[in-house]
Amino acid sequence: MPHPYQIRTFEEYKTAYQKSITDPDGFWAEVAGHFLWRRKWDKVLEWNFTEPRVEWFRGGKLNITENCLDRHIAHKADQPAILWEPNSPDEHNRTLSYKKLLEKVCQFAHVLKNNGVKKGDRVCIYMGMIPELAIAVLACARIGAIHSVVFGGFSAQSIADRLADAQAAFIVTCDGAYRGAKDIPLKSVIDDALIGNSTVKCVIVCTRTRTPVSMLKGRDLWWEEEMKRVEEQGLHFIEAEEMDAEDPLFILYTSGSTGKPKGVVHTCGGYMIWANYTFINVFQYQPGQIHFCTADIGWITGHTYILYGPLSAGATSLMFEGIPTWPDAGRFWDIIDKYKVNIFYTAPTAIRSLMGFGTAPLQGKSLSSLQVLGTVGEPINEEAWHWYDEHVGKKKCPIIDTWWQTETGGCLISNFAGVTPAVPGWATLPMPGLQMVLVDENGKEVVAEGDETVSGNLCIKAPWPAILRTTYGDHERCRTNYFATYSGMYFTGDGALRDKNGFYRITGRVDDVLNVSGHRIGTAEVENAINMHAGVIESAVVGYPHEIKGQGIYAYVIYSGNPTHEEELVRKDILQTVSRIIGAIAKPDKIQFVTGLPKTRSGKIMRRILRKIAEGETANLGDTSTLLDPGVVEEIKNGKV
Ligand code: WT7
């Protein structure tokens, strides 16, 4: 029997797209009708982008875990829901069937309840990529607690900021996490984050590395002991909390061009439908396939395409604890062969880094199970695309280039694997329901004349089910960030081209946000961290093209600290400070000490000039006559690192 809403031909795509625009309510009601609802919605969509206010499936009641777990039990209780591959290939892998996963989720949901977690409470989850992370996330969703997963690479300070912003009273963490040859002391980072914190009541610690940890009486509890307690209490199944379609499901922090990271809020109904709909259509998931998304659950990609998308579709999702290059650069290929992976989804930065090892790590690997390849997170250069196609897909797997954002919940522009055309470097066509527009700086829509390819800032005219609803605790910030630049539209922050076929090619961020190895980092955030370093007077951070990371971080720093410190040492000290304040992922790749920054008479830093110099393009810097002190540009040019 064909899947009820899986689009199987280009023609079907066009028809579906048309219908989704002319009758969005009817279109999404039809899709939503295939899910498990406790109560049907009263209204499909209600919205305005001025406040902004977006409500999908108002009045509908559901629990996403019933859709991800319970509804599969009748037919696929013993099918693996999660396959887990440990960091070390020498350790045993684990399999959680749908039945087992539901059991564990219920058990941990009882643990949360035993410890006072209630519907609407925020639970911060800071764990490595082990099955217990998936269990913790789903257990929160089960009881209606709002999960806020924080990537294991963030510093104590970053966690503290997120805890405070979300007013989280509960944390689930691990003693430590394995990543390649490293072992990361997660609990100890949490302990640092909790110095001076008065809102966190309870920290549940799951053992993984069994590195020594401090356990504070009355606050810290062992995962294993709490799980055992539930068993002893004779507690098993837990009824899923009935959630309103518009109740928050999770918060995920992401960087913007100003200030601290913002807590993007996704809700239960719309997000579920989008995660599922895009998983089924973009990846062209077929029952029985093994899906391997290499992202960390600490990012939106992991939320949507390791957990909620695949599980809501009853798929088997492979979760990998380690990194692509350890113990060697053939790790992904070994995993693909070991589990006979059918769908493989990774980031261009990972492909480029593996390309650097040549084809030797691919020798002796079959990869014959692969059927679909995907990329996400940044524009993919053609060289990487062709390498992926030739050496991984053996030219027989369609490649999907999926463009989306933390704020969009799931894919918005992508080809459908093997169904709609693929063009290297192009994300191609919008999902059904998506009304994309390109606008110029004044917000005027860019319209092509004839067959020309046009470029502009990428905006969206109307909501899709998984659009962010707010930024936690600060709705005004959501409005100004996304809905105020161009009135009546959601602004993505990306620039794009559109060709005569209506295909989109994303050219990258047009705001002060960097994309480093597929991770989003705000330049202002890095500057703030650098400026906290003793002796630093001012700094300016820009991106520059980086062969593997896509973008590297280039920092110009005015430093007047102790002159007896060597420059090289000061650089290292600054990197330490940035690691402390944000995390190692935000460490600048290059630091240039300068005596001044190019500023306009009104004091604004001319980033355009700094960007050009960082890119090595010093010949044509454009107009510098408006600068307060044009001489500073010469100095910066000459001192380029
Ligand atoms: C930014 C969003 C989507 C999950 C991972 C990143 C860039 C994402 C693509 C792509 C070109 C892409 C955009 C976007 N981006 N996918 N296929 N082609 N650029 O999520 O951290 O929220 O970052 O990543 O610039 O705005 P994120």
Side-chain angles (χ1 to χ4, degrees):
M1 200 180 61
H3 188 281
Y5 48 90
Q6 187 170 55
I7 290 163
R8 301 291 289 152
T9 64
F10 197 14
E11 281 313 309
E12 274 177 37
Y13 162 79
K14 290 179 199 161
T15 313
Y17 185 82
Q18 211 45 51
K19 170 154 196 216
S20 75
I21 303 303
T22 50
D23 177 20
D25 285 30
F27 186 87
W28 293 112
E30 149 73 25
V31 173
H34 294 283
F35 291 76
L36 213 58
W37 295 86
R38 293 274 186 90
R39 179 183 186 278
K40 202 184 160 188
W41 56 90
D42 302 313
K43 185 134 201 277
V44 175
L45 173 61
E46 178 93 12
W47 68 287
N48 72 69
F49 275 175
T50 340
E51 294 177 47
R53 182 167 61 86
V54 176
E55 288 175 272
W56 281 92
F57 311 109
R58 185 160 72 199
K61 304 277 185 196
L62 79 159
N63 186 292
I64 195 168
T65 68
E66 287 191 334
N67 284 275
C68 288
L69 301 171
D70 306 59
R71 74 162 162 166
H72 306 312
I73 294 303
H75 304 289
K76 41 180 96 170
D78 297 320
Q79 183 203 297
I82 292 178
L83 297 170
W84 178 74
E85 172 68 13
N87 180 55
S88 162
D90 299 330
E91 195 183 334
H92 281 301
N93 57 314
R94 287 166 62 186
T95 301
L96 281 95
S97 65
Y98 271 97
K99 183 159 160 270
K100 190 82 198 164
L101 182 58
L102 176 58
E103 263 169 39
K104 287 285 162 198
V105 167
C106 285
Q107 199 178 352
F108 193 66
H110 281 299
V111 169
L112 293 173
K113 284 211 149 176
N114 273 344
N115 288 289
V117 182
K118 292 188 182 61
K119 177 176 181 170
D121 286 345
R122 278 78 55 214
V123 178
C124 170
I125 301 180
Y126 186 69
M127 302 171 83
M129 282 285 284
I130 55 174
E132 284 70 20
L133 165 54
I135 292 165
V137 166
L138 294 167
C140 288
R142 187 84 179 164
I143 64 168
I146 302 169
H147 56 78
S148 165
V149 185
V150 177
F151 174 62
F154 281 112
S155 68
Q157 184 62 52
S158 294
I159 299 165
D161 292 344
R162 286 157 172 75
L163 288 170
D165 188 84
Q167 293 289 298
F170 306 91
I171 298 177
V172 186
T173 188
C174 296
D175 48 359
Y178 294 122
R179 272 178 72 78
K182 288 198 204 127
D183 116 27
I184 298 148
L186 297 178
K187 173 60 163 64
S188 147
V189 179
I190 290 289
D191 289 338
D192 288 345
L194 290 182
I195 294 170
N197 174 296
S198 54
T199 53
V200 172
K201 293 186 283 204
C202 171
V203 181
I204 299 171
V205 184
C206 181
T207 58
R208 173 62 182 130
T209 56
R210 207 48 198 97
T211 181
V213 292
S214 117
M215 294 291 283
L216 279 199
K217 195 181 292 169
R219 187 193 75 184
D220 300 350
L221 303 162
W222 292 109
W223 171 294
E224 293 76 10
E225 283 177 13
E226 290 303 295
M227 288 291 259
K228 207 160 135 226
R229 186 150 74 95
V230 168
E231 239 166 59
E232 287 162 2
Q233 290 168 322
L235 298 170
H236 297 285
F237 186 77
I238 193 163
E239 199 61 56
E241 187 75 32
E242 188 168 290
M243 305 296 284
D244 193 274
E246 282 297 326
D247 278 338
L249 172 64
F250 65 85
I251 304 172
L252 190 56
Y253 284 87
T254 192
S255 296
S257 48
T258 53
K260 295 219 183 256
K262 36 192 191 267
V264 168
V265 175
H266 283 291
T267 55
C268 297
Y271 172 80
M272 169 181 78
I273 285 169
W274 198 250
N276 178 276
Y277 184 83
T278 53
F279 177 69
I280 300 263
N281 281 297
V282 173
F283 296 88
Q284 285 291 305
Y285 167 73
Q286 304 300 325
Q289 283 184 329
I290 312 290
H291 174 79
F292 179 18
C293 165
T294 69
D296 192 288
I297 291 177
W299 307 110
I300 189 71
T301 310
H303 281 59
T304 307
Y305 298 115
I306 296 178
L307 295 180
Y308 292 116
L311 296 178
S312 65
T316 294
S317 184
L318 174 60
M319 194 174 158
F320 173 43
E321 183 184 34
I323 60 169
T325 49
W326 191 86
D328 59 55
R331 191 73 169 104
F332 279 167
W333 323 133
D334 287 331
I335 295 173
I336 290 169
D337 281 355
K338 177 170 174 184
Y339 296 93
K340 309 232 173 330
V341 167
N342 305 113
I343 309 173
F344 180 64
Y345 189 39
T346 195
T349 186
I351 299 167
R352 286 193 299 266
S353 123
L354 293 172
M355 269 168 77
F357 292 87
T359 51
L362 283 147
Q363 297 302 311
K365 317 289 154 95
S366 149
L367 306 186
S368 59
S369 56
L370 288 174
Q371 294 172 329
V372 170
L373 301 179
T375 76
V376 61
E378 46 176 323
I380 182 162
N381 47 312
E382 291 198 19
E383 195 194 350
W385 195 99
H386 287 294
W387 189 88
Y388 199 28
D389 183 36
E390 198 174 316
H391 297 288
V392 183
K394 319 280 186 202
K395 298 210 161 196
K396 65 174 178 57
C397 301
I399 298 179
I400 47 177
D401 178 350
T402 65
W403 173 84
W404 55 296
Q405 312 179 296
T406 304
E407 294 85 346
T408 72
C411 301
L412 293 200
I413 305 181
S414 175
N415 52 318
F416 288 3
V419 168
T420 65
V423 185
W426 291 70
T428 73
L429 292 166
M431 297 298 112
L434 265 296
Q435 303 186 49
M436 317 301 300
V437 269
L438 296 176
V439 301
D440 64 18
E441 311 82 80
N442 306 316
K444 196 168 160 285
E445 191 168 337
V446 179
V447 187
E449 284 182 30
D451 279 355
E452 67 171 344
T453 294
V454 289
S455 78
N457 294 337
L458 186 63
C459 294
I460 306 169
K461 273 189 192 164
W464 60 99
I467 186 175
L468 86 160
R469 300 302 195 269
T470 189
T471 45
Y472 193 82
D474 191 350
H475 194 62
E476 177 58 12
R477 195 164 173 210
C478 173
R479 191 186 71 79
T480 51
N481 251 286
Y482 304 104
F483 300 91
T485 317
Y486 304 113
S487 122
M489 287 184 251
Y490 168 83
F491 176 41
T492 63
D494 279 317
L497 306 177
R498 185 179 58 225
D499 73 5
K500 59 173 194 282
N501 300 313
F503 288 12
Y504 287 87
R505 177 192 180 102
I506 310 300
T507 48
R509 304 288 305 198
V510 294
D511 52 6
D512 291 321
V513 170
L514 305 181
N515 190 328
V516 181
S517 300
H519 299 151
R520 198 204 287 198
I521 298 166
T523 52
E525 225 183 308
V526 183
E527 287 164 6
N528 289 343
I530 294 174
N531 295 347
M532 285 174 76
H533 189 77
V536 169
I537 296 176
E538 200 182 359
S539 65
V541 165
V542 296
Y544 71 97
H546 187 288
E547 220 178 295
I548 291 177
K549 299 177 171 184
Q551 269 189 314
I553 305 178
Y554 196 115
Y556 298 91
V557 176
I558 306 177
Y559 179 78
S560 85
N562 187 339
T564 63
H565 293 331
E566 282 174 55
E567 222 176 75
E568 209 31 54
L569 262 177
V570 176
R571 276 203 183 87
K572 287 186 181 151
D573 291 343
I574 291 175
L575 295 184
Q576 278 299 326
T577 301
V578 174
S579 285
R580 282 274 170 219
I581 303 300
I582 307 174
I585 53 171
K587 283 201 287 197
D589 298 274
K590 293 185 179 177
I591 295 176
Q592 178 180 350
F593 293 107
V594 296
T595 59
L597 292 165
K599 286 188 183 171
T600 60
R601 285 186 185 95
S602 58
K604 212 174 147 265
I605 296 176
M606 297 269 285
R607 287 165 186 286
R608 176 177 56 80
I609 293 175
L610 293 176
R611 238 178 264 131
K612 286 214 161 160
I613 296 175
E615 285 165 7
E617 212 195 289
T618 49
N620 180 20
L621 291 178
D623 184 13
T624 55
S625 64
T626 57
L627 288 179
L628 193 59
D629 172 16
V632 80
V633 175
E634 273 314 298
E635 179 217 307
I636 296 178
K637 258 163 56 174
N638 296 333
K640 187 182 176 303
V641 289

